[in-house]
């Protein structure tokens, strides 16, 4: 074997190492922007075409996204500021809804973990599932990025996908329940179910109002009136955000809540704008829309959406960045599918982003430090959480595909 042949694996390894280092060092929006510009330079003939196409893609859903995501983050920040209390049993049941309301599994799990006791891992899977599949978290962000309007299909399919995915997480948590610390972890004193329920009323009030307004908008016809706005997802989120701020009450805390919501919203709007532009350029480059147009049930687009979300989540780690990046890319790939199939594509991205809870995800380290505090071996939580979240994703994909065939 020659020296040159010996050097080749080293060179390949160095290239992989360089790419891995680049991905970790450079923020996702910058990578998306550079990739979009480079692709456009190869695809178009002039600077005017390059800038024009990127400009068209960037503004695809930014306004709609801002109107939805800002009040959603206000609700999330307000509920986090209220420091919800719970009990072991009630916390497990609340976990998905708190994950959806807070638009962050980390915050929801951190809120409930001190009271979870033996149900710590089940609480973690519940918060993760709710964040991915319950309005106004994953489905809201992805639908906004795709420009998909909320209707009864979104509500119905969300419930049908959520229940089996949550059950799969609970079953896996029961099967792989990690050992407790030898001396027992110090936890906050758990409230009884009645006092815990009273302390959790702001959560149920905000979510109840949000759901009631949306359902009312679906049931009652109030078109061509100002009331129709408040019975849409946009208006319902705004009213629920005002209620959440009323629960906070303290002016200084309200200002902190609003500033935090604005910071999160601004960052995501930039990501979704760049991702929208990349999606527009990709469609022009590969003609994927023509391939997907021949699929009446949207099965191909569902699989593409699922796999795209899997890829971004696996390499990026951040669920929120995955939502913001994947949704606009998927939005410009396929034909006009109609309300039912469009809702299923939204949930395909949701369940795809569940693969997998890995060490590049902040949620992993939160669960590792709480539910797996008594486990000395790092590979055990990596194995359990990766398999568990992937199992949930597979169950979710199976439900989405079954619904696509049926509708």
């Amino acid at each position: 074997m020659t020296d040159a042949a010996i050097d080749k694996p080293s060179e390949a390894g160095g290239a992989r190492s360089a790419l891995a280092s680049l991905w970790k060092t450079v923020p996702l929006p910058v990578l998306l922007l550079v990739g979009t510009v480079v692709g456009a330079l190869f695809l178009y003939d002039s600077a005017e075409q390059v800038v024009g196409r990127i400009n068209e893609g960037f503004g695809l859903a930014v306004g709609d996204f801002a109107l939805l995501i800002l009040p959603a983050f206000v609700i999330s920040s307000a509920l986090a500021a209220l420091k919800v209390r719970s009990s072991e049993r009630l916390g497990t049941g609340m976990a998905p809804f708190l994950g959806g309301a807070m638009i962050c599994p980390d915050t929801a799990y951190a809120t409930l973990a001190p009271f979870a006791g033996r149900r710590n891992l089940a609480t973690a899977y519940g918060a993760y599932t709710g964040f991915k599949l319950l309005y106004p978290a994953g489905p809201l962000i992805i639908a906004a990025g795709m420009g998909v309007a909320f209707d009864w299909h979104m509500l119905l399919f969300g419930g049908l996908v959520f229940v089996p995915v949550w059950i799969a997480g609970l079953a896996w948590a029961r099967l792989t329940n990690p050992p407790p610390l030898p001396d027992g972890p110090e936890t906050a004193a758990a409230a009884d179910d009645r006092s815990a329920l009273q302390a959790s009323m702001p959560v149920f009030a905000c979510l109840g109002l949000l759901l009631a307004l949306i359902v009312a908008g679906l049931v009652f016809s109030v078109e061509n009136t100002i009331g129709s706005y408040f019975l849409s997802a946009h208006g319902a989120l705004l009213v629920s955000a005002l209620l959440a701020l009323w629960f906070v009450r303290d002016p200084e805390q309200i200002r902190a809540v609003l500033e935090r919501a604005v910071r999160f919203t601004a960052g995501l709007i930039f990501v979704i704008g760049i991702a929208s532009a990349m999606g527009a350029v990709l469609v022009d480059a590969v003609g994927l829309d023509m391939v997907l147009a021949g699929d009446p049930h949207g099965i191909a687009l569902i699989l593409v959406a699922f796999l795209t979300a899997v890829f971004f989540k696996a390499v990026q780690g951040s669920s929120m960045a995955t939502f913001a990046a994947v949704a606009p890319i998927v939005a410009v790939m396929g034909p006009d599918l109609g309300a039912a199939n469009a809702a299923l594509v939204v949930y395909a991205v949701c369940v795809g982003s569940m693969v997998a809870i890995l060490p590049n995800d902040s949620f992993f380290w939160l669960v590792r430090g709480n539910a797996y505090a008594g486990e000395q071996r790092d590979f055990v939580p990596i194995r359990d959480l990766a398999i568990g979240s992937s199992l949930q994703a597979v169950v979710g994909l199976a439900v989405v595909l079954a619904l696509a065939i049926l509708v």
Side-chain angles (χ1 to χ4, degrees):
M1 184 179 295
T2 66
D3 291 341
I6 294 174
D7 289 340
K8 284 182 180 178
S10 172
E11 293 173 0
R16 286 193 296 270
S17 177
L19 287 174
S21 177
L22 178 66
W23 187 269
K24 292 179 180 178
T25 303
V26 181
L28 176 64
V30 177
L31 289 174
L32 293 177
L33 178 59
V34 172
T36 301
V37 173
V38 170
L41 289 174
F42 280 100
L43 189 62
Y44 306 119
D45 297 327
S46 67
E48 289 77 10
Q49 288 180 310
V50 170
V51 175
R53 187 57 169 148
I54 291 176
N55 190 45
E56 291 174 6
F58 193 96
L60 186 63
V62 167
D64 188 41
F65 191 82
L67 290 173
L68 288 168
I69 202 63
L70 180 57
F73 272 127
V74 169
I75 297 172
S76 168
S77 300
L79 293 179
L82 290 170
K83 298 180 180 179
V84 178
R85 295 172 63 237
S86 183
S87 67
E88 180 178 318
R89 181 171 55 186
L90 184 61
T92 304
M94 278 183 56
F97 307 102
L98 201 61
M102 287 186 164
I103 321 182
C104 177
D106 302 56
T107 307
Y109 179 65
T111 299
L112 297 174
F115 313 98
R118 297 164 300 169
R119 303 171 187 263
N120 219 323
L121 195 56
T123 301
Y125 279 112
Y128 191 69
T129 306
F131 167 67
K132 299 290 186 176
L133 298 177
L134 292 183
Y135 223 73
L140 163 73
I141 299 167
I142 295 167
M146 290 180 58
V148 175
F150 186 91
D151 66 357
W152 68 268
H153 295 97
M154 196 79 71
L155 204 61
L156 174 63
F157 294 160
L160 293 175
V161 175
F162 165 74
V163 172
V165 171
W166 186 24
I167 291 174
L170 294 177
W172 183 256
R174 187 178 182 86
L175 181 65
T176 61
N177 194 37
L181 287 171
D183 297 329
E186 293 185 7
T187 59
D192 59 56
D193 285 344
R194 180 175 296 180
S195 63
L197 184 60
Q198 291 173 346
S200 304
M201 282 308 297
V203 177
F204 294 114
C206 292
L207 289 182
L209 178 61
L210 175 64
L211 185 62
L213 290 173
I214 289 176
V215 170
L218 298 176
V219 173
F220 302 106
S221 178
V222 288
E223 296 179 2
N224 302 320
T225 66
I226 192 64
S228 64
Y229 181 81
F230 296 100
L231 297 183
S232 68
H234 302 78
L237 279 165
L238 176 61
V239 174
S240 300
L242 293 175
L243 177 61
L245 292 175
W246 181 83
F247 280 117
V248 175
R249 300 192 183 182
D250 179 58
E252 291 187 3
Q253 276 196 311
I254 289 176
R255 182 177 179 83
V257 164
L258 293 174
E259 288 180 346
R260 185 168 183 262
V262 168
R263 286 197 303 271
F264 280 134
T265 303
L268 281 177
I269 285 177
F270 183 73
V271 172
I272 201 170
I274 294 299
S276 298
M278 172 175 273
V281 173
L282 283 175
V283 168
D284 289 346
V286 301
L288 190 59
D289 55 335
M290 298 300 295
V291 176
L292 298 174
D295 180 23
H297 294 291
I299 301 295
L301 183 56
I302 285 172
L303 292 174
V304 169
F306 176 83
L307 294 174
T308 303
V310 168
F311 171 77
F312 269 87
K313 178 61 172 65
V315 298
Q316 176 68 22
S318 169
S319 296
M320 197 64 76
T322 300
F323 290 161
V326 173
I329 292 176
V330 172
V332 294
M333 286 183 175
D336 183 5
L337 295 173
N341 284 335
L344 289 174
V345 174
V346 168
Y347 283 103
V349 177
C350 288
V351 296
S353 70
M354 300 187 80
V355 181
I357 302 175
L358 296 171
N360 62 348
D361 186 345
S362 61
F363 189 65
F364 170 88
W365 294 106
L366 188 60
V367 179
R368 172 70 175 93
N370 286 277
Y372 286 89
E375 178 59 66
Q376 300 299 316
R377 300 164 297 174
D378 285 335
F379 81 89
V380 173
I382 293 174
R383 177 198 65 196
D384 290 354
L385 293 174
I387 294 175
S389 55
S390 298
L391 173 65
Q392 288 185 294
V394 171
V395 170
L397 178 62
V399 176
V400 170
L401 289 174
L403 289 172
I405 294 172
L406 292 175
V407 300

